[in-house]
Structures are given as C-alpha cells and as structure tokens.
Amino acid sequence: VGTTAAAAAGTAGAASFAAAAGVPALPGVMAGGILVAGTGGMRQDLMAGCVAAFMMTVVMYPIDTIKTRVQSGQKAMTKGGIKDLYRGIPFALLRRCPEMAVYLSLYRHVRGIVMDSAGVIAHPLAAITHWLVAGTIGAAIAVSAVRVPLELLNKQIQTGLTARQALQKLIKGPNTKAILFVTWVAILWRDIPYAAVQFAMIHMLELYIYQAQAFLGCPLFFVQMLWGAIAGGVAGFVTTPFDLFSNQIMTRLQSKTNDPDPKNLKIDMRADGTAKISYNKPGVLQGFREIFADFYKEGFRGMWKGVWLRTAFFAPGTMVFYTTYETFRAICHAFGWRVPDMH
C-alpha cells in the first residue's frame, strides 16, 4: 500500500468513525502524527521515532529505574544518588530508539493497510477494533530478537549488577536460549496490551481535540500534549500487572536457574565414609512456575506494585515522545527535508 493510499485509508477511517459518533471529522494531522496513517515517508517516520525515543528515554529514565527497583523489592535510592538512577541507560537507548522508530512506522502503515482492507467503517466499535489490531501488530513486530537481550541486560543493571556482570550472566549462564524466549513472551504480554490501549485511546481522544481546545481556551499544541499524557498514563496504569510480572521474569529467572536450589540438596555417601554433597539447579520451567506462584500469592493488591511510578513514567513520557515526534516531522515538512523512501 502506497503512502497516498494509506493516508486516504486513515482519513476515511477517522471520518467514518467521527460521523458514527456524532462528531465532525477532523482535518489534517492530529496529535502525534501517528494518528493519520501514511502522511510521511517510512524513513522520515523512522528518524522522527528515533529522535523522540531518545528524548523520552533521557528525560524519564530515572523514574523507570526507581519503578524497576521498587517492583523488585529493592530500595528506590542508593548511595549513588541521582547519577545511579541512570545506570544502564546506554542499553536503554540502544533498545528504545530503533524499537520505537520501527514500531511507529509499522503501526502507521499497518493501520493504513487494515483500514483500507476494511473499507468504510460505519461503527465506532469497528474503528476501535482496527486501531487495536494495528497497535498489536506493531508491538509484536517491534519486540525483536535484538530488543529482548538488551532489555534483559538493562533491567539487571538497574537492579544492581554492573554491565560486565550482566553480560557474563547472559552469555555464560546456562539455559540462555530458553531464558530469552521466556523473556520475549513476558515482554509481549506487557507491550501488546499497552500498545492496544494507548493507541485506541489516542484515536478516541483525537475526535474531540478541537472541542477540548475551545473549552480549555489554550493552543492546540497543548491539547495534543494533554491527549498524549492521558493516553499514555491510562495505558500504563491498566497494564501494571503485566509490567510487574515481566519485570520479575527479567530480574529473577536467571538467578533461579543459575543458583543452586537448597530444597534439592542431595547427599551421596561414599564407600570410604565420606559424603558427596550436590545441588540440583531448577530448570527454566521450574523457575518460571516459582515466579508465577510468588506473583499469584501477592493477590490482587500486590499485582499493582509500582502502579503510580509506571503511570508517572508513561503520562509525561508519552507526552514528550509524541510532541517530539510530531515536532520533528513538522520541521521536516516545513523545510522540505524529506528522506526518500526505497521502492
């Protein structure tokens, strides 16, 4: 599907949804240019996503570190102070910049394909369903083989390991492939619901952006920022249990499979009267079961550990991300800086 077709599909979807909801169709690009499919080239989207991810990561990373520590049962602050909150940020930048760039580009173009194949959408529920599908596909593809080990290393560094220790643990530890696979599944459980909720909310809110601007009496730019904050904050809030469980997998599973299990102490008596003491290390599946059992024992309330920190990360973080993303794309458009796509 070409850029023009994708843009037409996105515009038609928004217009039909607005009509069904009793709201006037909105012209032009809305908050965070991702809201209109295919309005720019794929490479331009990749560049804008990379810049936006860099800004969001640098600004919000300390809150993410505190959240990870709290969910892991550690103290939020260490003797290293503010500087220590940036532990592991190189891995976070290596992960998030290409990840978000690919994610947004894929989302916008997948959404254009989905909307186009569906034709005219005559009901709000149908539109929401298509946005959920587009967000889900984008999230699933963005969780690549490169991202999984980088996030695994990032989380372990945030919770106390040095970069060298985390790398050695990943490379030299047993069951590495199985651990990476389980981590990949856990990340999917977390990111697919988040992406689906976030984009569905953004698209719902965009229908009322001009009404909100008139009601609040502020520039459209600030309403766009507010919409991004609301969508990111709500999506982060409702998906906290998935985030907590994935965090437990990334910070505890390797230790459970690498360290001896005292419960499986084995003593073999030799003929000379001496004893041979050995331990059976639990496998990945057993470690996963133990983590899930601990997670389940926490109960409903315990599953929301770190919920306000996660909300505090994604509400302003999403605002920073989409504002930067849209601003970068607007600057490229205003100055005619267009990176040609490959055909």
Side-chain angles (χ1 to χ4, degrees):
V1 178
T3 301
T4 304
T11 304
S16 59
F17 184 22
V23 179
L26 304 180
V29 178
M30 300 310 301
I34 51 95
L35 300 183
V36 174
T39 56
M42 174 73 83
R43 290 190 179 182
Q44 183 174 308
D45 292 338
L46 289 170
M47 291 175 61
C50 221
V51 172
F54 180 87
M55 287 295 296
M56 176 183 173
T57 302
V58 171
V59 173
M60 303 305 301
Y61 190 77
I63 295 179
D64 183 58
T65 299
I66 293 173
K67 176 189 70 69
T68 301
R69 290 175 180 174
V70 169
Q71 290 182 333
S72 302
Q74 300 182 1
K75 291 183 179 180
M77 298 296 295
T78 62
K79 294 180 180 179
I82 299 297
K83 182 180 179 180
D84 203 47
L85 294 177
Y86 279 92
R87 287 174 58 93
I89 193 171
F91 289 100
L93 290 171
L94 285 173
R95 169 175 63 88
R96 282 182 179 156
C97 288
E99 166 203 337
M100 292 307 297
V102 171
Y103 175 37
L104 284 179
S105 297
L106 286 173
Y107 169 80
R108 284 171 17 86
H109 286 76
V110 167
R111 177 176 176 261
I113 295 170
V114 170
M115 287 292 194
D116 185 57
S117 63
V120 177
I121 298 174
H123 194 277
L125 183 59
I128 294 173
T129 301
H130 285 83
W131 295 334
L132 291 173
V133 169
T136 298
I137 293 174
I141 296 175
V143 181
S144 63
V146 176
R147 177 193 170 177
V148 172
L150 287 174
E151 181 158 5
L152 183 60
L153 291 170
N154 181 218
K155 294 296 181 185
Q156 294 188 350
I157 294 170
Q158 284 180 319
T159 53
L161 294 182
T162 64
R164 184 175 182 177
Q165 289 172 335
L167 282 168
Q168 287 180 339
K169 196 174 182 180
L170 178 64
I171 296 171
K172 297 182 179 180
N175 304 314
T176 297
K177 291 182 180 179
I179 289 171
L180 289 174
F181 176 77
V182 173
T183 302
W184 176 71
V185 173
I187 291 174
L188 281 178
W189 287 354
R190 178 195 67 192
D191 287 0
I192 287 180
Y194 173 83
V197 172
Q198 180 194 42
F199 282 111
M201 280 205 64
I202 289 179
H203 283 292
M204 286 288 292
L205 290 170
E206 77 171 337
L207 300 173
Y208 303 96
I209 195 165
Y210 289 124
Q211 291 90 327
Q213 180 192 15
F215 177 78
L216 297 174
C218 60
L220 183 63
F221 181 75
F222 291 105
V223 181
Q224 293 175 341
M225 293 174 65
L226 177 62
W227 264 206
I230 292 174
V234 171
F237 183 94
V238 300
T239 56
T240 296
F242 299 99
D243 177 63
L244 176 60
F245 184 69
S246 66
N247 186 61
Q248 293 291 313
I249 291 293
M250 286 184 277
T251 57
R252 294 178 56 195
L253 185 59
Q254 276 188 295
S255 296
K256 281 190 170 292
T257 56
N258 292 347
D259 297 336
D261 186 1
K263 298 178 183 178
N264 296 330
L265 177 66
K266 186 178 180 181
I267 301 178
D268 295 322
M269 298 301 298
R270 299 191 180 97
D272 59 0
T274 60
K276 178 183 178 182
I277 301 176
S278 60
Y279 294 91
N280 291 327
K281 296 182 180 181
V284 172
L285 182 59
Q286 183 180 339
F288 176 85
R289 287 173 177 170
E290 291 179 7
I291 291 173
F292 183 80
D294 293 341
F295 178 77
Y296 184 78
K297 287 178 184 177
E298 291 288 332
F300 180 79
R301 186 174 181 179
M303 293 179 183
W304 297 89
K305 184 186 295 183
V307 62
W308 297 116
L309 286 168
R310 180 168 167 81
T311 304
F313 174 83
F314 277 109
T318 305
M319 179 179 67
V320 169
F321 181 86
Y322 288 130
T323 301
T324 306
Y325 179 86
E326 174 63 10
T327 301
F328 183 88
R329 293 181 69 248
I331 291 173
C332 289
H333 178 75
F335 288 91
W337 300 340
R338 180 176 177 81
V339 182
D341 285 332
M342 294 180 66
H343 297 287

